Amino acid sequence: MQILTEPLTAAAFAPYGDVLDATGDFRLINAGLCQRHHDRARLDFGAEVDTANRAGISIFQAQPRALPYVFDLIERHPEGSQAFLPMSQHPFLVIVADSPQAKPRAFLSNGAQGINLHRGTWHGVLTPLQAPGLFAVVDRIGASANLEEFRYPQSWSVIEA
């Protein structure tokens, strides 16, 4: 059970979330010295956003992996979107699936892209391909676990196209 990597593009990734990069339309700010690529992600933390359920920024330090990459676990967050913003310019792997029964897809970032996973999107774990695996993560902070996991009965192997 193999999956070939695909380039991470906004069009290909649209069913699962948003690609966050400094491309396309922008406006100049800071006396013309900075490009603002405005409102690049649809953050979604559910209808019950209040002081107990809110957006938060966390820092993740993940161990790097290598291709071919073998996995059998996907997860989703039914109560909120989740954005991964790399704090280094190294490519990382993004695994997504329409459902646990569907064949997963594996996207390879270009090192200058982050992602925002739509609420409820099935996805693999954070998979940097080089150290440091340092990411800023914007997601829902709340009292519930906001996590569902699924283990495949047989592992998938991701290989570079």
Side-chain angles (χ1 to χ4, degrees), residues 7-92:
L8 181 60
T9 66
F13 196 69
Y16 310 103
D18 310 295
V19 174
L20 308 175
D21 58 11
T23 61
D25 294 337
F26 63 88
R27 63 182 179 217
L28 290 174
I29 61 171
N30 298 339
L33 300 175
C34 181
Q35 294 179 357
R36 179 180 174 135
H37 297 265
H38 186 69
D39 198 20
R40 298 302 305 250
R42 189 179 79 209
L43 301 179
D44 178 359
F45 304 110
E48 300 298 320
V49 176
D50 56 28
T51 56
N53 299 298
R54 58 184 173 75
I57 298 175
S58 303
I59 305 298
F60 286 20
Q61 180 80 48
Q63 296 294 318
R65 305 338 189 297
L67 294 174
Y69 171 66
V70 177
F71 72 96
D72 68 353
L73 174 71
I74 57 173
E75 63 184 34
R76 71 177 177 173
H77 309 286
E79 298 176 20
S81 58
Q82 188 175 47
F84 292 93
L85 306 165
M87 297 175 73
S88 64
Q89 290 195 335
H90 300 300
F92 66 102

Side-chain angles (χ1 to χ4, degrees), residues 74-151:
I74 57 173
E75 63 184 34
R76 71 177 177 173
H77 309 286
E79 298 176 20
S81 58
Q82 188 175 47
F84 292 93
L85 306 165
M87 297 175 73
S88 64
Q89 290 195 335
H90 300 300
F92 66 102
L93 191 62
V94 182
I95 297 168
V96 291
D98 291 325
S99 72
Q101 293 73 36
K103 181 179 180 179
R105 295 175 72 180
F107 293 95
L108 187 57
S109 75
N110 66 14
Q113 299 165 304
I115 60 158
N116 177 57
L117 294 162
H118 291 163
R119 178 166 43 130
T121 296
W122 287 101
H123 63 89
V125 299
L126 182 57
T127 312
L129 298 174
Q130 288 180 253
L134 192 61
F135 290 77
V137 178
V138 180
D139 62 0
R140 181 187 168 281
I141 306 297
S144 66
N146 188 29
L147 174 67
E148 295 176 10
E149 294 180 334
F150 176 81
R151 284 210 183 265

